[in-house]
């Protein structure tokens, strides 16, 4: 692979910029491309900026680009902590469904949990009677046990009791008061059923217990069997806040069930959770979903630390972000709670911008401002919040300004409001409603249609206007939108059914002028039962000339009856960084997304390559990719090792290597089937004589949940080739043990 003259010039330019030497500039490239539809290495990188005003000044040098203003990945949360310090108390909570002890003895479970303590309060579900006391002793806690549940506290439990549900006709929960540092808390241990029974149980908790609970500070810990946005959770949301959402973790961001295997039976679930009453003014300040190794249950234990202010009371709304994608004359303001009423002024350079409308959307957490005319991109705007009042009545106490950059959206028809205009459609459709999903804003959005397993929409965005910025290393792509999924309801329409939720993933394929894939950026994979806003960033490699946006709607329920993975308010723009980034080229891994099968890869026996959700049944062996269409796995029927490797030539970077200027940013998405297997990634550098010149690795990793792992390694002197290698092993050879590998990458970057 030889580097073009333009690219060599770009590398020289970057070196000059990095060393402070004045340099000239150039640009090149145009055109579209063919179709290597999808996959990714997700790049949630750092901050920064944009050029959408081409007021070119002949006197400007190459580093004097217009409009440099920072943008960050989206800061989403619900009922979060205010920035100012407040006196109060923090409470460490814990929760674990131990699956009737099938995966561990009482001593094993207690010992493993104790490593994550100490806890102030803790709740166990599916707990056999002989487990409660040993686990409590291991944690150093008092306990109360009844009917496969246990409620534990570091201080004595006051009036502990089991309460049977009356309205639902089945089930029970535990309750006690506890005193922590002189403060009384009302604590519930809960194991809620699903579907209509779960709705009935939560309705009873809210109406008959939480509504009359005399204690100012309330905690509920348990296995809720559904997550934020479900009909069960919406009942709870009337009075209590979701601990993970308060910490900024959405259901699609993490998983507590299943703790092993995949999500093909009931979808990726964040169902083990702590709730706290909103009237306390509480908020989550820390938390962790714990990966047990070896595994001790089909659930993962979780711990959250909740802060409670000294004086209880509803917290005024917190303005988190400006959100784009609502049209050329609109912007959304993202709050941490639903807004009932507000008054907002929009200013540009100190002058008022005429607004034709303003008001809450998306159940109130987004507040939409619509201007009378197009908002010019490449400017900083100020939203002056005269007041904002939450649905709980809490109101901001003074006027404040929120300044944000506003960029031109390079996407045509970003909300599907103009039908099929601007997009190439394959299965996906512009729609006004599908399976309880309605538009985030406007009248339409993008959704799958079914019964196909995967639907797409695609749009190619030319980046030629930004060539100078991109090739000089200042280009930053910003990609945002909102994703949601539909769901079925029980007959009569009273409750959503706990089934796999269709998954929405929006990706950007960065192409050069000849249509070669340089990089992928993913917005993430979402199956949320509400519109989840997201925003990701990605440094643009030199010679990037097209951003291909691909919307993937992945049907997860089989047999397929619909595909309601949905998108709205999409936004894509190029910003200018204040300082050049260090990325100097494309992904050096050939066939990184396995679109061409095993081409360019050396794989040992026992390695399989398959498509996303490849098994057409609803089960926990229905494997999903981390991103895009394909995944690779080692079926560890013996202890291994199983390997996948690729040799990558470095001859094009010889001069940089000899000057000790080159590093590799390398890694992949990884996960195991369960903690009985583990994997390592390694890079080994070789010189001209095939002698090892250096090596680096990370691992071992035995986490049964997809994460993106990466590392930056300096390329040793005299290196002419690097071998990227993935190695999987099993502690116990058994069917059901596997390790998974997706979207590997190796980016050349300037050494720091």
């Amino acid at each position: 692979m030889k580097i073009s003259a333009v690219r060599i010039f770009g590398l020289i330019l970057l070196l000059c910029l990095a060393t402070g030497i004045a340099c000239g500039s150039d640009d090149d490239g145009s055109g579209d491309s063919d179709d290597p539809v999808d996959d990714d290495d997700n790049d949630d990188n750092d901050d920064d900026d944009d050029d959408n005003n081409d007021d070119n000044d002949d006197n400007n040098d190459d580093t004097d680009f217009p409009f440099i203003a920072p943008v960050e990945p989206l800061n989403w949360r619900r009922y979060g902590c205010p920035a100012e310090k407040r006196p109060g108390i923090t409470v460490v909570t814990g929760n674990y469904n131990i699956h009737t002890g099938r995966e561990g003895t009482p001593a094993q479970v207690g010992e493993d949990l104790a490593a994550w303590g100490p806890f102030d309060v803790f709740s166990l579900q599916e707990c056999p009677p002989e487990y409660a006391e040993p686990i409590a002793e291991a944690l150093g806690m008092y306990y109360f046990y009844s009917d496969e549940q246990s409620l534990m506290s570091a201080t004595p439990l006051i009036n502990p009791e089991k309460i049977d549900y009356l309205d639902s006709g089945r089930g029970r929960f535990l309750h006690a008061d506890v005193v922590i540092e002189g403060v009384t808390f009302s604590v519930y241990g809960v194991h809620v059923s699903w579907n209509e029974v779960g709705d009935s149980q939560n309705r009873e908790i809210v109406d008959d217990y939480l509504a009359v609970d005399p204690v100012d500070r309330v905690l509920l810990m348990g296995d809720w069997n559904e997550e934020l946005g479900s009909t069960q959770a919406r009942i709870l949301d009337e009075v209590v806040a979701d601990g993970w959402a308060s910490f900024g973790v959405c259901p699609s961001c993490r998983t507590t069930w299943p703790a092993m295997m995949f999500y093909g039976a009931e979808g990726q679930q964040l169902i083990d959770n702590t709730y706290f009453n909103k009237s306390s003014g509480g908020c989550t300040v820390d938390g962790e979903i714990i990966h047990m190794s070896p595994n001790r249950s089909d659930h993962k234990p979780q711990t959250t630390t909740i802060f409670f202010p000294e004086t209880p009371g509803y917290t005024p709304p917190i303005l988190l972000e400006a959100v784009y994608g609502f049209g050329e004359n609109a912007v959304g303001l993202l709050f941490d709670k639903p807004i009932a009423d507000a008054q907002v002024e929009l200013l540009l350079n100190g002058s008022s911008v005429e607004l034709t409308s303003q008001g809450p959307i998306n159940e109130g957490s987004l507040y939409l401002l619509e201007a009378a005319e197009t908002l010019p991109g490449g400017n900083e705007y100020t939203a002056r919040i005269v007041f904002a009042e939450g649905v709980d009545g809490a109101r901001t106490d003074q006027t404040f300004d929120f300044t944000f950059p506003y960029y031109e959206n390079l996407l045509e028809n970003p909300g599907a409001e103009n039908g099929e205009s601007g997009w190439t459609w394959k299965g996906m459709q512009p729609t006004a409603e599908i399976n309880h999903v309605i538009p985030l804003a406007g009248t339409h959005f993008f959704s799958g249609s079914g019964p196909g397993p995967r639907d797409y929409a695609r749009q190619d965005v030319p980046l030629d206007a930004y060539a100078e910025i991109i090739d000089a290393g200042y280009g930053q792509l910003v990609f945002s939108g909102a994703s949601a999924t539909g769901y079925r309801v029980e007959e009569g329409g009273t409750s959503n059914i706990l089934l796999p939720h269709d998954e929405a993933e929006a990706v950007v394929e960065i192409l050069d002028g000849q249509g070669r894939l340089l990089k992928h950026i993913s917005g993430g994979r979402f199956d949320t039962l509400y519109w989840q806003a997201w925003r990701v960033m990605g440094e643009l490699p030199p010679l990037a000339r097209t951003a291909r946006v691909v919307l993937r709607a992945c049907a997860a329920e089989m047999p397929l009856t619909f595909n309601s993975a949905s998108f709205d308010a999409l936004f894509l723009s190029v910003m200018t960084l204040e300082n050049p980034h260090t990325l100097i080229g494309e992904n050096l891994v050939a066939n990184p997304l396995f679109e061409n099968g095993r081409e360019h890869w050396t794989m040992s026996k026992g390695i399989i390559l398959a498509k996303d959700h490849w098994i057409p049944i609803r089960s926990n062996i229905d494997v999903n990719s981390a991103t895009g269409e394909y995944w690779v796995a080692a079926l560890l029927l013996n202890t291994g090792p199983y390997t996948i490797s690729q040799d990558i030539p470095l001859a094009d970077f010889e001069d940089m290597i000899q000057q000790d200027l080159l590093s590799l940013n390398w890694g992949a998405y990884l996960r195991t089937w369960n903690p009985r297997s583990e994997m390592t990634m390694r890079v080994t550098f070789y010189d001209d004589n095939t002698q090892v010149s250096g090596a680096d690795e990370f691992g071992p990793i035995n986490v049964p949940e997809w994460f993106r792992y990466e590392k930056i390694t300096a390329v040793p002197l005299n290196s002419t080739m690097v071998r990227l290698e993935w190695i999987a092993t099993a502690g116990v050879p058994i069917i059901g043990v596997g390790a998974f590998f997706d979207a590997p990458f190796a980016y050349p970057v300037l050494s720091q």
Side-chain angles (χ1 to χ4, degrees), residues 719-748:
S719 298
T720 58
M721 188 265 284
V722 60
R723 177 169 295 157
L724 180 74
E725 191 173 16
W726 175 78
I727 306 129
T729 58
V732 179
I734 183 172
I735 293 175
V737 177
F740 297 82
F741 179 64
D742 201 358
F745 56 92
Y747 289 106

Side-chain angles (χ1 to χ4, degrees), residues 14 43 45 49 410 463 466-467 469-478 508-511 518-519 521 537-547 572-577 581-586 747:
L14 282 170
D43 223 52
N45 278 349
D49 315 63
L410 302 181
L463 302 179
Y466 303 92
I469 293 167
I470 292 169
D471 293 347
Y474 288 84
Q476 178 95 339
L477 193 81
V478 177
V508 183
E509 301 173 352
I510 306 300
L511 311 173
L518 306 181
K519 185 175 184 178
I521 300 167
M537 327 294 289
E539 297 164 346
L540 287 165
L543 299 185
R545 293 297 181 266
T546 299
L572 182 138
S573 197
V574 175
M575 302 184 208
T576 310
L577 297 166
H581 58 66
T582 60
L583 178 63
I584 59 174
E586 75 272 17
Y747 289 106

Side-chain angles (χ1 to χ4, degrees), residues 18 45 272 330 358 525 580 603 664 679 702:
N45 278 349
D272 302 88
Q358 59 176 282
R525 199 160 173 160
M603 301 185 183
L664 286 185
M679 67 196 88
N702 62 351

Side-chain angles (χ1 to χ4, degrees), residues 33-109:
S33 55
D34 281 333
D35 212 313
V37 125
D38 289 81
D39 215 355
D40 162 284
D41 43 68
N42 182 10
D43 223 52
D44 295 349
N45 278 349
D46 27 315
D47 58 43
D48 288 81
D49 315 63
D50 174 290
D51 159 53
N52 287 311
N53 288 358
D54 275 336
D55 345 303
N56 290 323
D57 183 343
D58 292 336
N59 295 320
N60 287 353
D61 63 30
D62 298 303
T63 62
D64 188 16
F65 296 120
F67 190 51
I68 295 172
V71 166
E72 304 283 349
L74 195 73
N75 175 27
W76 174 90
R77 63 181 188 270
R78 292 190 178 184
Y79 298 93
C81 292
E84 64 274 8
K85 298 286 185 182
R86 298 176 293 169
I89 182 174
T90 56
V91 178
V92 181
T93 76
N95 181 66
Y96 198 16
N97 179 324
I98 62 174
H99 202 211
T100 69
R102 297 179 200 178
E103 288 82 19
T105 66
Q108 289 170 334
V109 174

Side-chain angles (χ1 to χ4, degrees), residues 555-587:
E557 185 184 346
M558 305 294 274
L560 295 173
T561 54
F562 59 79
N563 184 345
S564 52
S566 301
F567 307 85
D568 205 351
L570 296 165
F571 172 85
L572 182 138
S573 197
V574 175
M575 302 184 208
T576 310
L577 297 166
E578 185 174 359
N579 297 300
H581 58 66
T582 60
L583 178 63
I584 59 174
E586 75 272 17
N587 188 359

Side-chain angles (χ1 to χ4, degrees), residues 30-340:
S30 61
D32 261 21
S33 55
D34 281 333
D35 212 313
V37 125
D38 289 81
D39 215 355
D40 162 284
D41 43 68
N42 182 10
D43 223 52
D44 295 349
N45 278 349
D46 27 315
D47 58 43
D48 288 81
D49 315 63
D50 174 290
D51 159 53
N52 287 311
N53 288 358
D54 275 336
D55 345 303
N56 290 323
D57 183 343
D58 292 336
N59 295 320
N60 287 353
D61 63 30
D62 298 303
T63 62
D64 188 16
F65 296 120
F67 190 51
I68 295 172
V71 166
E72 304 283 349
L74 195 73
N75 175 27
W76 174 90
R77 63 181 188 270
R78 292 190 178 184
Y79 298 93
C81 292
E84 64 274 8
K85 298 286 185 182
R86 298 176 293 169
I89 182 174
T90 56
V91 178
V92 181
T93 76
N95 181 66
Y96 198 16
N97 179 324
I98 62 174
H99 202 211
T100 69
R102 297 179 200 178
E103 288 82 19
T105 66
Q108 289 170 334
V109 174
E111 180 182 358
D112 288 353
L113 287 177
W116 291 88
F119 303 98
D120 292 306
V121 288
F122 203 93
S123 173
L124 293 175
Q125 306 87 45
E126 295 190 25
C127 176
E130 67 272 18
Y131 276 68
E133 184 174 0
I135 293 174
E137 287 180 355
L139 297 178
M141 304 181 83
Y142 299 88
Y143 79 100
F144 172 70
Y145 177 84
S146 182
D147 287 359
E148 293 197 333
Q149 295 186 57
S150 183
L151 191 59
M152 301 179 178
S153 173
T155 58
L157 294 152
I158 302 168
N159 299 323
E161 58 181 331
K162 179 196 78 169
I163 302 172
D164 292 311
Y165 293 108
L166 300 178
D167 295 339
S168 68
R170 72 185 223 201
R172 82 289 307 165
F173 61 90
L174 307 183
H175 176 263
D177 289 345
V178 301
V179 177
I180 304 171
E181 296 182 21
V183 178
T184 300
F185 290 84
S186 177
V187 181
Y188 297 76
V190 183
H191 189 184
V192 170
S193 298
W194 47 87
N195 299 351
E196 289 185 315
V197 174
D199 283 18
S200 175
Q201 290 172 341
N202 282 350
R203 186 78 270 160
E204 190 170 340
I205 289 177
V206 168
D207 291 349
D208 297 348
Y209 296 95
L210 298 182
V212 296
D213 195 319
V215 179
D216 288 333
R217 298 168 182 85
V218 178
L219 285 164
L220 302 92
M221 301 167 292
D223 171 6
W224 301 90
N225 267 309
E226 259 295 6
E227 57 193 7
L228 192 65
S230 67
T231 53
Q232 291 125 329
R234 289 173 190 268
I235 294 167
L236 295 170
D237 193 52
E238 295 171 14
V239 293
V240 293
D242 175 302
W244 286 123
S246 177
F247 196 46
V249 178
C250 72
S252 295
C253 301
R254 292 296 308 273
T255 304
T256 63
W257 185 93
M260 51 190 175
M261 300 188 289
F262 276 82
Y263 325 126
E266 296 171 20
Q268 182 179 2
Q269 297 281 300
L270 186 66
I271 57 177
D272 302 88
N273 207 342
T274 295
Y275 286 84
F276 53 89
N277 60 318
K278 298 175 184 177
S279 60
S280 69
C283 58
T284 308
V285 295
D286 199 4
E288 184 56 65
I289 295 166
I290 300 167
H291 299 285
M292 290 290 195
S293 181
N295 206 58
R296 301 300 185 200
S297 173
D298 64 335
H299 289 247
K300 298 175 186 176
Q302 63 95 10
T303 175
T304 49
T305 301
I306 313 297
F307 171 81
F308 292 90
E310 190 175 84
T311 303
Y314 293 105
T315 303
I318 301 169
L319 178 54
L320 301 172
E321 295 277 2
V323 178
Y324 315 114
F326 296 104
E328 60 186 11
N329 68 328
V331 66
L333 301 178
L334 178 66
F335 286 86
D336 77 321
K337 64 165 64 176
I339 299 299

